Amino acid sequence: AQKITQTQPGMFVQEKEAVTLDCTYDTSDPSYGLFWYKQPSSGEMIFLIYQGSYDQQNATEGRYSLNFQKARKSANLVISASQLGDSAMYFCAMREGGSARQLTFGSGTQLTVLP
Amino acid sequence: GAVVSQHPSWVICKSGTSVKIECRSLDFQATTMFWYRQFPKQSLMLMATSNEGSKATYEQGVEKDKFLINHASLTLSTLTVTSAHPEDSSFYICSAGGGHDSNQPQHFGDGTRLSIL
């Protein structure tokens, strides 16, 4: 079974609008972390936001917020006021257990911001 | 600024050549580093976990003799693609970090685009 599922291969959003990128996960470990990374066409992986399994509040970082619904095992990324520079591939990832563990990535969502 | 440096950024070489890729943590020590491979329009797939001072842990299906990993110091891990062939052409990217706090993100190098002719 897939541990991280991103069901939207591609998304389009109008500039200045908000967009939600979906992510669901599967784990039996009570301690885990959820991450979102942005990968522009140049290839580098840019860390956006983190949500811990024990965090009571949804994480926010500037225009990025994470809609964490633990019971549903979902961790959707919300980008507010989209900008043309937000066009990129977005990956949801999970780290289970201890901190020195690898990340498991979803299949990604290609976001295109339209002018 | 970048906290993980990866070199080279891109390599084009002939079939049969061995290629070494370096991954350095710039301002922190990393006992563990990770090597991923990414095909076009696909996700990152973990190849191996590089452990300082011990053997790397390879994921199922990854050839240990093809992808040699050395983690000789707390700031450097290398991936050597031995006797590379066209099917080894891919985007390789390393990561490090996380620290002792589970909320710390892994930091990625900028990746290496490998093209085998």
Side-chain angles (χ1 to χ4, degrees), chain A residues 39-51:
Chain A
Q39 187 180 41
S41 57
S42 49
E44 70 269 29
M45 294 289 285
I46 302 168
F47 166 70
L48 297 178
I49 197 167
Y50 164 85
Q51 182 81 45

Side-chain angles (χ1 to χ4, degrees), chain B:
Chain B
V3 295
V4 174
S5 174
Q6 185 172 342
H7 292 282
S9 300
W10 54 273
V11 180
I12 302 174
C13 58
K14 293 182 179 179
S15 184
T17 306
S18 292
V19 178
K20 180 185 283 188
I21 303 169
E22 293 188 348
C23 181
R24 294 181 185 272
S25 56
L26 297 181
D27 54 4
F28 64 98
Q29 294 181 333
T31 55
T32 303
M33 292 185 178
F34 303 96
W35 287 96
Y36 296 85
R37 182 174 183 176
Q38 185 181 30
F39 290 106
K41 299 190 184 301
Q42 293 189 23
S43 187
L44 280 71
M45 298 299 295
L46 180 69
M47 297 176 64
T49 302
S50 174
N51 304 298
E52 189 270 335
S54 64
K55 291 183 179 180
T57 304
Y58 290 82
E59 295 300 298
Q60 190 173 8
V62 177
E63 299 177 58
K64 300 178 183 180
D65 295 334
K66 161 67 79 174
F67 301 101
L68 298 180
I69 291 173
N70 184 284
H71 196 149
S73 76
L74 287 171
T75 59
L76 175 65
S77 175
T78 61
L79 168 67
T80 301
V81 184
T82 62
S83 186
H85 291 284
E87 58 266 28
D88 298 323
S89 298
S90 189
F91 185 66
Y92 294 87
I93 191 165
C94 68
S95 73
H100 294 291
D101 295 326
S102 60
N103 65 343
Q104 295 301 307
Q106 286 184 15
H107 297 284
F108 286 81
D110 286 346
T112 299
R113 296 192 187 279
L114 176 63
S115 295
I116 308 298
L117 305 177

